[in-house]
Amino acid sequence: MGSTGKLNISDTEQETLLDVPAPADENNTQQIKKQRDPKKRPFYSKPKFKMYVFIFSLIIIPLLNFLVFWVYVSFDTVLLTFQKFSVRTGEYEWVGFANYGEVFRDYIFGIGNAYPEKQQIFLNSLHAIAINLIILPLSFIAAYAFFKKVPMEKYFRVCFYLPSIISISVLTICFRNLFHGDFGPIKMLFAKLGFEPVWLSADSEQMWTLIYIFCIWAGLSTNVIMMNSAMMRIPSDISDYTKLEGVGFWREAVTIVLPLTLPTIGIYMISVITSVFGFALQPMLIADNYGTNNKFLTIAWKILADTAGGRQNDMILSSTLGISLTLLLTPFVILVRWLVNRFTPEVDF
């Protein structure tokens, strides 16, 4: 610095000062930061928002289906059981628990035996439990025979699995024609032997025998597959050990295979109780009529017929029947579930 008071700046320092950018406008600086900051982008352009839209688009249809056809229908069904339809006014009237009282009095317990044909509907539904209890040991024996690969195992496997492949309507037609009064081969065979039972009439004494035979034959296939799948998970080391020790065919089935498949059998026992709710198609297709005094009618069949008929009070009665049966059987399902968890061993394979 000289005496004149002026700054002496070298050429290099002047170039450095010229390279320094001028201070930007404050508004422009904020706009640049907003553009560069991903958190300030519009919400619809963020990847997380797009992921949520994709997930929502996947579940919206099943969710609406659940809300409309399960939640709404179930709520409306429960609400319907507390009402009666008045033909005089054309409106639904609140009657409280009167419908439940009628169902438990006439259909389930048969108090006073004033309407025995109504209680017969409930008793017919219990045949489903008996049928499934008969199927259980038969399916275990058949599945164990396939597991041990008995002679002609593949042939018998096809015979057992055939009913699960063919439509149940086709099976029913074939089965009914075997006992037809005019051309049924089994009917002709019994006639030659001197017996002429009436198989398919409305008051037939043999109809429930036919229903049992058909249900056992048609129901074995699914249960054999389930049992056989449980047996196929048993380690081969156990089977090799039984061969070395000379364990017999039936002893292995009872002492080794049966305990290892008890969890599967336990689940099946729960389905035995709940089978009462769906026991409609088999008697409906085989019997083809309610029978004298509801001899072949079940609760599930009645609910199906009343719903198809569309009459208001019949639908109210069917709704009450379904909920009453649920309330009645739920404690038994819980009890069976507890017994299964209490007494069946835990299997890790």
Side-chain angles (χ1 to χ4, degrees):
M1 180 182 296
S3 59
T4 59
K6 296 180 178 180
L7 290 173
N8 295 324
I9 302 174
S10 63
D11 295 339
T12 305
E13 291 175 341
Q14 289 179 5
E15 293 176 358
T16 304
L17 290 173
L18 292 174
D19 292 338
V20 177
D25 184 53
E26 186 175 346
N27 294 331
N28 294 335
T29 305
Q30 292 178 355
Q31 291 178 0
I32 293 172
K33 287 183 178 180
K34 288 181 179 179
Q35 293 176 357
R36 292 180 178 177
D37 190 0
K39 295 182 179 179
K40 300 298 183 179
R41 288 187 299 176
F43 70 93
Y44 53 81
S45 65
K46 295 180 181 180
K48 185 173 288 187
F49 175 78
K50 294 180 179 179
M51 181 187 67
Y52 288 149
V53 171
F54 175 73
I55 295 174
F56 181 76
S57 65
L58 289 178
I59 66 173
I60 182 62
I61 294 178
L63 183 61
L64 288 175
N65 180 76
F66 172 75
L67 292 176
V68 174
F69 295 103
W70 197 93
V71 175
Y72 169 74
V73 172
S74 299
F75 176 78
D76 189 61
T77 300
V78 174
L79 188 64
L80 200 62
T81 60
F82 296 99
Q83 304 175 68
K84 278 282 188 183
F85 182 78
S86 175
V87 180
R88 180 176 56 83
T89 61
E91 295 179 354
Y92 288 94
E93 299 177 354
W94 189 266
V95 295
F97 290 91
N99 293 327
Y100 288 95
E102 177 186 352
V103 166
F104 278 95
R105 181 185 66 249
D106 297 337
Y107 285 87
I108 295 178
F109 298 115
I111 298 176
N113 202 28
Y115 304 98
E117 67 277 4
K118 292 184 178 181
Q119 191 190 23
Q120 187 65 41
I121 300 175
F122 173 70
L123 298 178
N124 291 339
S125 301
L126 299 181
H127 283 291
I129 297 177
I131 291 171
N132 282 282
L133 289 177
I134 296 173
I135 289 176
L136 176 59
L138 295 178
S139 59
F140 177 82
I141 294 172
Y144 180 66
F146 297 154
F147 174 69
K148 297 300 290 182
K149 300 188 182 303
V150 297
M152 300 182 67
E153 171 255 343
K154 293 184 178 179
Y155 168 77
F156 289 110
R157 189 184 292 269
V158 172
C159 292
F160 275 100
Y161 293 171
L162 198 60
S164 63
I165 301 173
I166 302 175
S167 169
I168 189 171
S169 300
V170 176
L171 283 177
T172 306
I173 293 173
C174 296
F175 188 82
R176 281 180 57 88
N177 287 340
L178 291 175
F179 301 91
H180 197 278
D182 296 329
F183 53 81
I186 295 182
K187 173 70 167 57
M188 295 179 181
L189 177 62
F190 272 84
K192 290 186 178 296
L193 296 175
F195 302 98
E196 294 190 10
V198 180
W199 298 97
L200 302 176
S201 66
D203 58 348
S204 172
E205 297 296 333
Q206 288 77 31
M207 182 63 74
W208 274 111
T209 303
L210 297 183
I211 294 174
Y212 267 68
I213 294 172
F214 178 79
C215 291
I216 292 170
W217 174 53
L220 266 178
S221 57
T222 304
N223 293 286
V224 168
I225 294 173
M226 180 180 65
M227 292 288 181
N228 190 249
S229 299
M231 295 176 186
M232 294 301 293
R233 294 197 302 267
I234 298 176
S236 58
D237 297 342
I238 296 178
S239 299
D240 295 337
Y241 173 78
T242 57
K243 292 179 182 178
L244 293 174
E245 293 297 324
V247 179
F249 183 86
W250 292 110
R251 184 182 176 189
E252 179 183 355
V254 175
T255 60
I256 297 176
V257 177
L258 179 61
L260 294 177
T261 55
L262 276 180
T264 303
I265 296 175
I267 296 174
Y268 177 81
M269 290 302 299
I270 297 175
S271 68
V272 168
I273 304 297
T274 58
S275 63
V276 176
F277 297 105
F279 189 49
L281 196 58
Q282 297 87 343
M284 181 174 64
L285 293 175
I286 297 296
D288 198 33
N289 60 82
Y290 294 168
T292 306
N293 295 325
N294 296 331
K295 196 170 186 176
F296 315 122
L297 183 62
T298 63
I299 288 180
W301 185 359
K302 177 174 176 54
I303 292 174
L304 182 63
D306 289 348
T307 305
R311 291 186 295 182
Q312 287 85 351
N313 282 326
D314 288 343
M315 295 180 67
I316 291 173
L317 178 61
S318 296
S319 301
T320 311
L321 271 171
I323 295 178
S324 300
L325 195 63
T326 302
L327 295 174
L328 181 67
L329 294 181
T330 296
F332 293 97
V333 174
I334 296 173
L335 176 62
V336 172
R337 173 74 176 175
W338 180 81
L339 292 173
V340 168
N341 294 333
R342 177 69 176 82
F343 295 103
T344 56
E346 294 184 2
V347 180
D348 298 330
F349 52 81

